[in-house]
Amino acid sequence: MIEHTTNPDDCRSMQQVREGVDATDRALMELLTRRYGYMRAAARIKPSRDTVRDEARKAQVIENARADAAVRALPADDLAQIWDQLVESSIAYELAEWDATR
C-alpha cells in the first residue's frame, strides 16, 4: 500500500524522511477513504437515523486504538484523542449520508 520508500531505520537524509512521511500520508488517506466507505455502507444499512450514534461502539473503537498504540510503543493517549476526532467525524459523515439517502 505504501509506495516504495526508504525504511525509516535506513533513512540517511531528511529528503528520504520527507518522502517516507509523504508516502505514508498518502497511504493513510487511502485507508481513510476505505474507512469512510464503510460509513456510507452503515448509513445505507442502518434502519433509522438514531442508530447512527452508538456510544458503546465509539468507546470500543477508541479503546482498541489506545491498546494497539500501546502495544506498538506509540503515544496511546494522543492517538486515542485522534481516534475520538476520527470517530466523531465518521459519525457526522454517516449522518449526512443517511440524510442524503432518505
Side-chain angles (χ1 to χ4, degrees):
M1 175 163 238
I2 296 178
E3 59 201 59
H4 179 69
T5 57
T6 305
N7 186 307
D9 292 334
D10 297 330
C11 287
R12 300 290 176 249
S13 71
M14 282 308 300
Q15 180 64 31
Q16 290 173 318
V17 169
R18 289 177 180 136
E19 288 170 357
V21 168
D22 291 347
T24 301
D25 287 349
R26 286 189 294 276
L28 285 169
M29 290 304 289
E30 288 180 27
L31 289 171
L32 288 169
T33 298
R34 180 179 171 96
R35 189 182 203 287
Y36 279 80
Y38 286 115
M39 298 304 96
R40 285 191 305 278
R44 177 176 36 82
I45 293 167
K46 287 183 179 175
S48 65
R49 192 177 198 277
D50 63 336
T51 60
V52 171
R53 180 172 286 280
D54 181 342
E55 290 297 330
R57 175 63 179 152
K58 176 184 173 184
Q60 177 187 35
V61 169
I62 294 167
E63 186 49 41
N64 289 345
R66 182 190 310 277
D68 194 23
V71 167
R72 297 168 185 270
L74 297 172
D77 290 340
D78 291 342
L79 290 171
Q81 287 180 339
I82 290 169
W83 248 256
D84 183 73
Q85 290 178 314
L86 174 61
V87 172
E88 282 300 318
S89 175
S90 297
I91 291 167
Y93 182 82
E94 185 180 335
L95 285 168
E97 288 294 313
W98 200 93
D99 290 344
T101 59
R102 301 305 190 289

